[in-house]
Amino acid sequence: MRIVIAGGHGQIALRLERLLAARGDEVAGIIRKAEQADDLREAGAEPVVLDLESASVDEVAERLRGADAAVFAAGAGPGSGVARKDTVDKAAAVLFADAAVKAGVRRFVIVSSMGADPRHQGDEIFDVYLRAKGEADAYVRGLDALDWTVLRPGQLTDDAGTGLVRLEARTGRGPIPRDDVAAVLAELVDTPATAGLTLELISGSTPVSVAVRSVAGN
């Protein structure tokens, strides 16, 4: 498969790129800064320098053309202010989804957040973040031209992955290593039967591949 990842230098994206490249997929990661390119090459991915905050749908679609799947793993990051929650966590996700439609890439996986909700109340930065992620999710779920899956991980940690997860429509809150998030994404990309599902993810007792097959109905 050829898979294009938005937010290609993110902590989850770099892990995902390594996993996909190791299994023989062709991977491209969209990054904002040229100096991040070597990290992607080291992970086995082709770096694509493009700023999703200023690019047009046509420009992004050009990078997506010929791909089998698209993964939105970009984020403004914990140090960013309110404005970038809107321009990255919401607007860039909408742009990437529209570009996937234009490029004819049906398989689309978006990394969201536990608690994401377009109706979330509050004015703190985290409230704005959850609202932006929820609005992005709602937009993607409204696109009939995409075979979308929304993944909502719990509290992200840098602990070593265990390969054991809980993946369900509702899991309740809990931590999850970024290693395991990446492993689940790699399986989801390859499991189109999960299209149309919004899934929460925390650490658990089920092997990743079994958990994904289970939600896919296999």
Side-chain angles (χ1 to χ4, degrees):
M1 293 177 73
R2 176 171 171 79
I3 300 149
V4 179
I5 302 170
H9 195 258
Q11 296 185 67
I12 290 171
L14 285 168
R15 289 167 166 84
L16 176 59
E17 286 154 6
R18 290 187 194 99
L19 291 175
L20 296 174
R23 77 182 190 191
D25 288 327
E26 183 184 336
V27 193
I30 296 177
I31 52 177
R32 254 185 341 125
K33 301 175 182 175
E35 56 264 32
Q36 298 169 336
D38 284 346
D39 291 339
L40 269 73
R41 292 189 189 98
E42 194 176 305
E46 167 201 341
V48 176
V49 180
L50 185 67
D51 187 350
L52 294 177
E53 288 179 88
S54 59
S56 69
V57 170
D58 286 341
E59 287 172 323
V60 181
E62 189 57 39
R63 307 316 198 278
L64 280 165
R65 204 152 275 119
D68 299 291
V71 178
F72 186 83
S80 61
V82 166
R84 294 199 73 228
K85 304 304 180 196
D86 187 64
T87 58
V88 179
D89 294 300
K90 178 187 172 182
V94 167
L95 173 76
F96 197 61
D98 284 343
V101 171
K102 183 151 197 165
V105 181
R106 288 203 63 92
R107 187 71 182 119
F108 192 93
V109 180
I110 182 169
V111 182
S112 183
S113 173
M114 184 113 26
D117 184 348
R119 295 174 302 281
H120 182 85
Q121 299 297 307
D123 299 315
E124 298 295 319
I125 285 184
F126 193 63
D127 296 324
V128 176
Y129 168 76
L130 290 177
R131 199 156 51 242
K133 294 297 279 185
E135 288 168 348
D137 293 351
Y139 185 83
V140 168
R141 292 188 298 200
L143 294 174
D144 293 338
L146 295 181
D147 295 328
W148 53 264
T149 303
V150 177
L151 182 66
R152 293 179 168 172
Q155 177 194 354
L156 298 171
T157 75
D158 288 324
D159 297 338
T162 65
L164 300 173
V165 300
R166 184 176 173 193
L167 179 70
E168 299 168 16
R170 293 281 183 274
T171 61
R173 296 190 176 275
I176 180 78
R178 288 178 173 87
D179 286 349
D180 289 333
V181 177
V184 168
L185 286 169
E187 288 284 336
L188 288 175
V189 162
D190 210 23
T191 312
T194 59
L197 299 179
T198 299
L199 301 166
E200 294 184 349
L201 173 66
I202 58 175
S203 291
S205 58
T206 306
V208 166
S209 60
V210 175
V212 172
R213 283 201 305 273
S214 177
V215 295
N218 299 328

